[in-house]
């Protein structure tokens, strides 16, 4: 429900040249900072494929070891003293106060209608977490008066995350699902930091929890149409979602098993169709079989949500690297898929739209040679498609139902789409909750590095739009310009109905330059790079800079608005976002996986070198930031070119990839074979070893200073190995950089 997107904000401050210039002057030490702690070494030998190597920090796998706890405490104390010494001890507090001054005292999302209710979220003043609430929709003057007299116009708090956090010391809410009759709220919650979510169902009338699952590791939730049953997935010991259960709320019996996926290479996801008539069960393999596909296994099933005992209906057989996403409308299943066409076994050309009636599968439309379809949503009167053309996000609406007599696949233009007017091609666009199947309004949150978050409602019937809200930036409001909406299409202009009106939104492009260029990588492939800097504060050839990267799982970098960046931009920093191979659409993703992972690292390095070569960033003032799998990217690039970056921030990084992938008992390891390779095969093992950050540190090399953050209970990665890299790299500091990391809500 109406979630505000969590975003990573990072602020770095560079005070001196890098350590490779230390020969020009005596080494300087940070003010009042003690020497960094040194981890003990315990001999341990690892062997694979006839090779053996030493891993003296293997002992850190035992998180109950008191020596590890002592090391972590010492590392935290050292990091706190190191960062706290910046600017004679006051920089951190000054930056925090500066960033707080830009934020309004409270934050709220515009209410979104669903059925008889208006749902919204807000963060109360002085609180850290959001509150989910609702109130009845006005029904005219008489209805409003009756609501007021009965007290029903008052806001009802459904879930206050602050109360959960105060009770447990920490909270992470996973999924929230309101039942179709609006009586129940099902949500998953983690209070340990280990991302093992438990399930609770709250009766919104009595405000009591009516069901709390004894299982841990619950991921997906889906309601039955009658609101009497809730479906949910449960993980196995490796955190692979592999079972689907159904719980009848009015029964004292525990949830009963609906489906089990026995193949360890596959994970299960469930969702309700928009009309709640069906629950779809998606069980796709993420690894290749020997023949490339499984003849006797299905990857997509549906089940009548009100008739669970009838069992699941198989829709499509499993094919390697093929996915299906289903919605239901008037007896047809509309399917977004990249399934092979014309008996070709595999495809990497992206998704197309098909329709299924019982076993009759019919392709409806291909997106075109210059366009890809990334997602869809469905309503009673409209189908919404999320597309991308040359890196530009596009949304369009098609009237429903689509002609049932269509015999051949149509061009997208032939379906008379309406393309939503949006700002520049540097935008980040995220859908709102859009839960109401009968609605004719579609909500988007539109943002960019120079456009504070906009909430926009598009009327699919009238083909108009309304700007509901834009995030306030208090310290810059007087300097904002305005930019009108422009439709972001060219080749399908002939069927586009343009919106003519005077609405506009605030834009910071007069203050900050934001452009998308392409950088040639090691093999000649052009890599998208978005560059952001202050037109006033930037100094050619002198400015410091940060290069952001991720490059895995087909995910794009988040380039939405983040007010914390203003503290960097106003000081002359350049911020650059490298969309390296491994992220993006299917073909771009595959070009950065397994043996091709080296492409991601080379792409990132090429973007960094371009910033320096073109004088956008000083050669000794380029820093890097990577989160999760992006930490692997940055760590490998630092090993490859230790002189390229002068500092780095690694947030919960994946650094010890070789040891991790060699241990199939660790959470998610087997599922990651498709992304990084299976080290049981010698060729893939060698590829992983060639770039593994932990295994490619070179003695005597002067590495840049690195700030590593990790969670002790992180189920994905071993925090101890993150600490090892932090220790190894920080020891090499002669002159210091100060790195401050802040998270923004």
């Amino acid at each position: 429900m109406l979630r505000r997107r969590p975003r990573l904000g990072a602020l770095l401050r560079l005070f001196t040249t890098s350590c490779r210039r230390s020969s020009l002057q005596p080494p300087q030490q940070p003010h009042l900072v003690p020497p960094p702690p040194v981890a003990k070494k315990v001999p341990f030998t690892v062997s694979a494929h006839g090779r053996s190597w030493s891993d003296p920090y293997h002992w850190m796998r035992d998180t109950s070891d008191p020596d590890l706890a002592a090391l972590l405490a010492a590392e935290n104390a050292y990091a706190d003293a190191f960062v706290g010494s910046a600017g004679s001890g006051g920089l951190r507090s000054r930056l925090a106060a500066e960033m707080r001054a830009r934020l309004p005292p409270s934050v709220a999302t515009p209410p979104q209608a669903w059925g008889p209710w208006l749902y919204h979220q807000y963060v109360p003043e002085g609180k850290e977490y959001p509150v989910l609430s609702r109130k009845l929709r006005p029904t005219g003057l008489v209805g409003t008066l009756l609501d007021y007299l009965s007290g029903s116009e008052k806001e009802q708090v459904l879930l206050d995350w602050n109360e959960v956090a105060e009770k447990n010391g920490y909270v992470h809410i996973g999924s929230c699902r309101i039942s179709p009759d609006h009586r129940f709220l099902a949500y998953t919650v983690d209070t340990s930091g280990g991302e093992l979510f438990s399930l609770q169902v709250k009766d919104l009338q009595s405000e009591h929890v009516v069901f709390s699952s004894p299982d841990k590791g619950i991921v997906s939730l889906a309601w039955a149409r009658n609101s009497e049953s809730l479906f949910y997935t449960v993980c196995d010991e490796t955190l692979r979602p592999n079972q689907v259960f159904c719980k009848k709320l009015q029964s004292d019996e525990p949830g009963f098993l609906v489906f089990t996926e026995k193949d360890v290479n596959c994970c299960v996801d469930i969702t309700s169709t928009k009309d709640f008539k069906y629950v779809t069960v998606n069980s796709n393999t993420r690894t290749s079989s020997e023949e490339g596909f499984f003849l006797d296994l299905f990857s997509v099933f549906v089940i009548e949500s009100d008739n669970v005992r009838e069992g699941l209906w198989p829709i499509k057989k499993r094919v390697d690297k093929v996915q299906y996403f289903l919605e239901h409308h008037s007896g047809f299943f509309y399917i977004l898929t990249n399934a092979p066409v014309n008996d070709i076994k595999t495809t990497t050309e992206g998704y197309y739209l098909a329709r299924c009636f019982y076993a009759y599968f019919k392709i409806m439309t291909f997106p075109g040679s210059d366009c890809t379809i990334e997602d869809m949503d469905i309503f009673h009167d409209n189908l919404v498609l999320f597309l991308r053309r040359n890196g530009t996000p596009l949304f369009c609406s098609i009237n429903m139902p689509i002609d049932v007599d269509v015999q051949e696949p149509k061009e997208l233009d032939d379906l008379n789409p309406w393309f939503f007017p949006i700002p520049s091609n540097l935008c980040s666009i995220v859908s709102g909750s859009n839960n109401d199947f009968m609605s004719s309004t579609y909500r988007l949150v539109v943002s960019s590095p120079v456009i504070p978050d906009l909430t926009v409602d598009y009327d699919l019937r009238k083909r108009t739009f309304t700007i509901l809200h834009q995030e306030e930036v208090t310290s810059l409001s007087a300097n904002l310009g305005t930019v009108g909406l422009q439709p972001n299409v060219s080749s399908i202009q002939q069927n586009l109905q343009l919106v003519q009106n005077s609405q506009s939104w605030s834009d910071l492009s007069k203050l900050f330059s934001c452009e998308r260029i392409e950088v040639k990588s090691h093999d000649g492939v052009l890599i998208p790079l978005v560059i952001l800097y202050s037109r006033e504060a930037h100094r050619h050839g002198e400015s410091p800079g940060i290069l952001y990267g991720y490059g895995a799982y087909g995910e794009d970098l988040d380039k939405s608005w983040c007010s914390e960046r203003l503290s960097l931009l106003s000081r002359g920093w350049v911020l650059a976002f490298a969309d390296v191979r491994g992220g993006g659409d299917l073909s771009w993703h595959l070009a950065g996986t397994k043996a091709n992972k080296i492409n991601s690292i080379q792409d990132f390095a090429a973007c960094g070198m371009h910033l320096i070569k073109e004088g956008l960033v000083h050669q000794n003032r380029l820093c890097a930031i990577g989160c999760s799998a992006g930490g692997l990217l940055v760590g490998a690039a630092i090993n490859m070119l230790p002189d390229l970056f002068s500092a780095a921030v690694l947030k919960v990084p994946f650094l010890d990839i070789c040891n991790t992938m060699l241990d199939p008992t660790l959470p998610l390891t087997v599922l990651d074979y498709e992304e990084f390779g299976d080290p049981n095969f010698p060729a893939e093992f060698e590829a992983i070893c060639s770039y593994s950050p932990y295994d490619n540190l070179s003695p005597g090399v002067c590495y840049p200073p690195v700030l590593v953050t990790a969670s002790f209970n992180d189920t994905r990665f071993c925090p101890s190995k993150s600490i090892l890299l932090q220790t190894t790299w920080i020891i090499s500091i002669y002159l210091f950089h100060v790195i401050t990391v802040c998270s923004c809500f």
Side-chain angles (χ1 to χ4, degrees):
M1 294 298 302
L2 291 173
R3 298 183 299 275
R4 183 178 172 83
R5 293 161 290 140
R7 297 172 300 185
L8 172 67
L11 294 171
L12 295 85
R13 186 62 176 163
L14 180 63
F15 284 88
T16 65
T17 57
S18 68
C19 64
R20 55 185 175 273
R21 302 286 184 249
S22 61
S23 59
L24 302 179
Q25 54 186 345
Q28 302 174 19
Q29 296 296 329
H31 180 63
L32 299 179
V33 177
V38 178
K40 71 178 183 181
K41 295 184 179 182
V42 177
F44 186 85
T45 301
V46 185
S47 299
H49 300 293
R51 289 176 49 184
S52 295
W53 63 97
S54 176
D55 184 2
Y57 301 102
H58 184 271
W59 65 271
M60 292 183 181
R61 288 171 60 103
D62 180 8
T63 55
S64 64
D65 191 321
D67 287 346
L68 177 60
L71 176 65
L72 293 175
E75 285 284 2
N76 286 334
Y78 170 71
D80 188 62
F82 188 86
V83 176
S85 67
S88 300
L91 179 61
R92 180 161 50 179
S93 59
R94 291 199 304 271
L95 289 174
E98 187 177 298
M99 290 183 285
R100 279 196 298 268
R102 297 192 189 98
L103 300 175
S106 60
V107 178
T109 62
Q112 185 158 16
W114 181 19
W117 296 93
L118 294 171
Y119 291 87
H120 78 120
Q121 277 195 110
Y122 64 94
V123 180
E125 186 172 356
K127 298 291 186 178
E128 183 177 358
Y129 296 98
V131 174
L132 175 63
S133 67
R134 71 181 181 185
K135 62 181 179 180
L136 286 170
R137 298 173 69 175
T139 55
L141 181 60
V142 176
T144 302
L145 179 60
L146 292 176
D147 289 343
Y148 175 78
L149 294 175
S150 65
S152 59
E153 92 293 346
K154 296 181 180 179
E155 184 175 282
Q156 179 187 9
V157 173
L158 308 182
L159 180 61
D160 186 342
W161 297 6
N162 298 283
E163 292 181 357
V164 183
E166 290 169 5
K167 180 180 178 181
N168 298 280
Y170 169 83
V171 64
H172 181 185
I173 303 294
S175 299
C176 282
R177 297 290 184 269
I178 299 288
S179 62
D181 64 359
H182 302 272
R183 178 177 174 179
F184 300 102
L185 169 64
Y187 62 96
T188 60
V189 59
D190 166 38
T191 57
S192 70
E195 296 190 353
L196 290 173
F197 291 89
S198 58
L199 168 64
Q200 294 190 350
V201 180
K202 181 179 179 181
D203 187 329
L204 300 179
Q205 293 181 1
S206 67
E207 299 191 346
H208 294 143
V209 173
V210 295
F211 175 66
S212 182
S213 171
D215 297 303
K216 298 290 185 181
I218 294 175
V219 181
S220 304
L221 306 176
W223 281 102
R225 181 171 54 171
N226 59 17
S227 300
E228 296 177 359
S229 299
L230 176 69
F231 298 82
Y232 57 94
T233 59
V234 179
C235 292
D236 63 12
E237 62 277 2
T238 65
L239 299 188
R240 176 181 66 96
N242 70 320
Q243 291 184 318
V244 179
F245 286 85
C246 178
K247 167 62 180 175
K248 290 186 175 295
L249 295 184
Q250 305 303 323
S251 171
D252 293 332
E253 297 180 359
F256 61 90
L257 183 63
V258 175
F259 175 79
T260 299
E261 176 53 73
K262 297 179 180 179
D263 190 332
V264 297
N265 297 315
C266 301
C267 50
V268 177
D269 185 40
I270 60 171
T271 186
S272 303
T273 57
K274 196 67 168 282
D275 57 9
F276 288 102
K277 290 184 179 180
Y278 299 93
V279 171
T280 66
V281 178
N282 233 308
S283 181
N284 284 319
T285 178
R286 291 183 59 188
T287 60
S288 303
S289 66
E290 191 167 343
E291 281 77 32
F293 60 98
F294 300 86
L295 293 174
D296 57 343
L297 295 177
F298 287 85
S299 63
V300 184
F301 304 83
V302 296
I303 186 171
E304 276 193 276
S305 65
D306 294 345
N307 194 11
V308 182
R309 298 297 183 182
E310 289 294 319
L312 291 89
W313 308 342
I315 298 294
K316 277 293 179 181
K317 290 184 177 180
R318 184 174 296 155
V319 179
D320 185 38
K321 298 185 179 68
V322 171
Q323 293 184 317
Y324 303 89
F325 303 97
L326 274 67
E327 270 296 353
H328 179 262
H329 189 283
S330 302
F332 289 94
F333 287 108
Y334 286 82
I335 305 174
L336 202 60
T337 181
N338 62 329
V341 179
N342 299 328
D343 297 324
I344 301 174
K345 282 190 176 182
T346 59
T347 179
T348 60
E349 299 303 318
Y351 296 97
Y352 57 88
L353 181 66
R355 187 168 62 185
C356 180
F357 182 71
Y358 290 100
Y360 184 65
F361 186 85
K362 189 70 176 179
I363 297 174
M364 301 297 293
T365 182
F366 292 102
S369 58
D370 61 343
C371 191
T372 59
I373 304 177
E374 297 194 347
D375 206 348
M376 70 173 175
D377 203 345
I378 204 162
F379 298 85
H380 185 267
D381 294 323
N382 299 92
L383 172 71
V384 175
L385 295 178
F386 178 20
L387 309 102
R388 189 173 297 272
R389 175 179 290 112
N390 298 325
T392 301
L394 303 172
F395 276 79
C396 74
S397 170
I398 298 169
N399 291 337
M400 296 288 286
I402 298 176
D403 182 7
V404 296
D405 295 326
V406 61
Q407 296 299 316
E408 297 294 334
K410 290 189 174 184
E411 296 290 333
L412 185 59
D413 293 0
D414 296 333
L415 300 179
N416 189 27
W418 174 53
F419 282 84
F420 297 2
I422 57 177
S424 76
N425 61 358
L426 297 176
C427 277
S428 166
I429 305 179
V430 177
S431 299
S433 56
N434 297 308
N435 287 317
D436 196 340
F437 179 68
M438 301 306 296
S439 176
S440 61
T441 300
Y442 195 79
R443 177 165 297 180
L444 293 176
V445 178
V446 180
S447 179
S448 90
V450 293
I451 300 178
D453 286 7
L454 282 157
T455 304
V456 186
D457 275 356
Y458 292 87
D459 190 316
L460 307 180
R461 186 178 296 117
K462 297 179 181 179
R463 298 193 168 188
T464 59
F465 67 91
T466 303
I467 298 173
L468 300 177
H469 176 264
Q470 181 163 28
E471 180 178 321
E472 181 183 1
V473 186
T474 55
S475 63
L476 286 175
S477 57
N479 297 319
L480 294 178
T482 57
V483 174
L485 287 98
Q486 298 295 328
N488 226 342
V489 257
S490 56
S491 62
I492 33 186
Q493 194 79 19
Q494 66 274 15
N495 288 316
L496 176 62
Q497 297 185 19
L498 299 179
V499 177
Q500 301 293 334
N501 58 56
S502 60
Q503 293 201 71
S504 61
W505 46 52
S506 297
D507 180 274
L508 291 169
S509 59
K510 291 184 178 180
L511 300 176
F512 304 106
S513 171
C514 186
E515 62 175 334
R516 180 183 184 272
I517 66 170
E518 292 181 326
V519 175
K520 185 177 294 187
S521 190
H522 66 106
D523 55 359
V525 174
L526 298 178
I527 311 304
L529 181 67
V530 173
I531 303 172
L532 174 68
Y533 59 86
S534 167
R535 298 184 187 277
E536 179 181 355
H538 178 255
R539 296 291 180 266
H540 186 81
E542 299 179 8
S543 285
I546 305 174
L547 183 62
Y548 295 80
Y550 187 73
Y553 303 108
E555 295 290 333
D556 287 321
L557 274 177
D558 179 14
K559 292 180 280 291
S560 57
W561 167 260
C562 187
S563 64
E564 281 84 348
R565 296 183 187 134
L566 297 176
S567 291
L568 288 169
L569 296 170
S570 65
R571 290 168 169 82
W573 284 75
V574 175
L575 308 183
F577 306 85
D579 284 311
V580 302
R581 281 172 282 186
D585 60 29
L586 186 57
S587 59
W588 197 251
H589 172 218
L590 293 177
T593 61
K594 292 188 174 181
N596 294 325
K597 188 62 188 174
I598 193 65
N599 287 334
S600 304
I601 302 161
Q602 296 275 22
D603 295 349
F604 192 71
C607 290
M609 289 186 287
H610 176 85
L611 294 172
I612 293 172
K613 179 182 178 182
E614 297 300 316
L616 290 161
V617 176
H618 187 280
Q619 64 173 348
N620 295 326
R621 293 187 171 186
L622 177 62
C623 307
I625 290 182
C627 179
S628 188
L632 185 156
L633 175 76
V634 175
I638 288 174
N639 280 339
M640 181 186 296
L641 297 169
D643 283 348
L644 181 58
F645 299 103
S646 296
V649 174
L650 303 180
K651 190 171 184 179
V652 289
F654 187 19
L655 299 171
D656 190 16
I657 180 173
C658 188
N659 283 327
T660 300
M661 300 301 285
L662 281 169
D663 188 349
T665 66
L666 292 176
L668 307 179
T669 291
V670 174
L671 294 177
D672 271 339
Y673 286 165
E674 178 65 18
E675 186 69 26
F676 302 107
D678 184 349
N680 294 301
F681 298 103
E684 296 185 21
F685 168 76
E686 294 296 337
I688 292 171
C689 288
S690 70
Y691 63 78
S692 173
Y694 179 60
D695 297 292
N696 285 279
L697 291 167
S698 299
V701 173
C702 181
Y703 289 104
V706 175
L707 173 65
V708 178
T709 64
S711 168
F712 190 81
N713 291 321
D714 193 328
T715 54
R716 289 185 175 87
F717 309 116
C718 178
S720 56
K721 295 303 177 67
S722 296
I723 295 298
L724 167 67
L725 276 241
Q726 180 180 349
T727 304
T728 305
W729 276 329
I730 288 181
I731 286 175
S732 69
I733 298 174
Y734 291 92
L735 304 175
F736 74 97
H737 311 278
V738 174
I739 304 171
T740 303
V741 176
C742 300
S743 296
C744 55
F745 166 73

